[in-house]
Amino acid sequence: GLIMNKYLIKDMSYIVAANLAASKEAVRYYLNGVYFVPDSDSDRQQHLFVATDGHCMAIIGNRSLMGAQGVIIPRELIAKIKMAKSDIKFGAGGEITIDGDNVSIAFDGNTYSGQLVDGTFPDYQRVMVDDNKDVGRITLNSDYAATLGKINQLVDKAIYPSINLRFNGEHSPMCVDGTEWQGVLMPMRK
C-alpha cells in the first residue's frame, strides 16, 4: 500500500463528483468508493480519481496517472463532504491523509476519518474507448448518463449537466469527454 502521506487536493469537487459513479451495492464492495491515485509530484498536486458502479465510470483529474497504484476511499466517507455552490464554482481545496489502512479527509474545517476499502479496484483502462475509432449506435440508460452530466457540472463547472459522447461501435462502451475528466458509459444489454 501507500505509505503515510498527506495529499493536498486543489479542488475537492473532483472527489465528490467521482463519488457519484461509485457503487452503492454490497456485492462488489471494492467498487464502493473512489480509487485515489496520488500525484507523486507534491508541487503539481494533480491527482486521479476513478469510480464505477459497473454501469458508468468517472475518471477525473490527471489521466497520465492511469495504471499507477492507488487506494479505494469509501463512498460513505466522501459523502460526508458538504460543498457549498461557491466551493464547487471556485474549486475549494482540502487534504487527504493515508496512513496504512486508514484515511482522513480534511475539508472546510472538518476532518472525516475511516478505513480504506480492502480489495483490488478493477482494470478500468480496458473499457476505455479507442480514440482512433468513433462509429456506431448505442442504447444508453438515461439515469447513468444523468450521473455523468452531474459529474461534468461539478468538475468542468458546466452551467448545464451536459455530456459529450464518443463511441467505438454497437455494443461498445461510450467515452464521455470533459475538459478535466473522462467517463465511460456502458451500453444496455438487450
Side-chain angles (χ1 to χ4, degrees):
L2 300 174
I3 59 171
M4 179 175 173
N5 219 332
K6 292 180 187 253
Y7 303 97
L8 294 177
I9 308 300
K10 289 182 181 178
D11 189 344
M12 289 297 286
S13 66
Y14 283 21
I15 191 168
V16 171
N19 205 39
L20 293 172
S23 179
K24 295 166 185 66
E25 297 177 16
V27 176
R28 295 190 286 180
Y29 64 92
Y30 50 87
L31 298 181
N32 289 349
V34 173
Y35 190 62
F36 169 60
V37 181
D39 188 344
S40 59
D41 184 338
S42 58
D43 293 330
R44 189 174 52 203
Q45 300 169 25
Q46 294 178 357
H47 312 290
L48 178 67
F49 304 95
V50 182
T52 183
D53 62 4
H55 300 285
C56 67
M57 177 171 54
I59 302 165
I60 302 172
N62 185 356
R63 287 175 280 200
S64 71
L65 296 175
M66 287 174 58
Q69 181 182 4
V71 295
I72 306 169
I73 299 175
R75 178 183 55 78
E76 298 86 4
L77 186 64
I78 299 166
K80 293 179 181 179
I81 299 169
K82 303 298 179 211
M83 298 188 82
K85 287 189 183 208
S86 60
D87 294 334
I88 294 166
K89 184 173 182 181
F90 299 110
E95 184 177 85
I96 294 175
T97 302
I98 308 292
D99 183 7
D101 292 338
N102 300 309
V103 58
S104 63
I105 300 173
F107 176 71
D108 196 27
N110 297 304
T111 300
Y112 310 100
S113 298
Q115 296 278 306
L116 294 171
V117 175
D118 186 27
T120 302
F121 200 78
D123 180 8
Y124 55 93
Q125 295 180 82
R126 70 179 178 84
V127 297
M128 296 302 298
V129 175
D130 181 348
D131 287 333
N132 298 317
K133 249 173 114 178
D134 214 354
V135 297
R137 295 178 186 266
I138 193 164
T139 302
L140 304 173
N141 180 309
S142 60
D143 290 342
Y144 299 138
T147 296
L148 294 174
K150 290 175 190 173
I151 291 168
N152 191 50
Q153 227 175 347
L154 284 166
V155 175
D156 282 351
K157 317 304 181 214
I159 296 170
Y160 303 105
S162 60
I163 53 177
N164 294 314
L165 299 172
R166 286 186 297 119
F167 53 99
N168 279 337
E170 293 186 66
H171 312 297
S172 296
M174 298 200 65
C175 186
V176 181
D177 290 318
T179 305
E180 294 293 324
W181 75 286
Q182 190 172 37
V184 173
L185 188 56
M186 301 301 177
M188 290 181 66
R189 303 279 182 223
K190 292 184 179 185

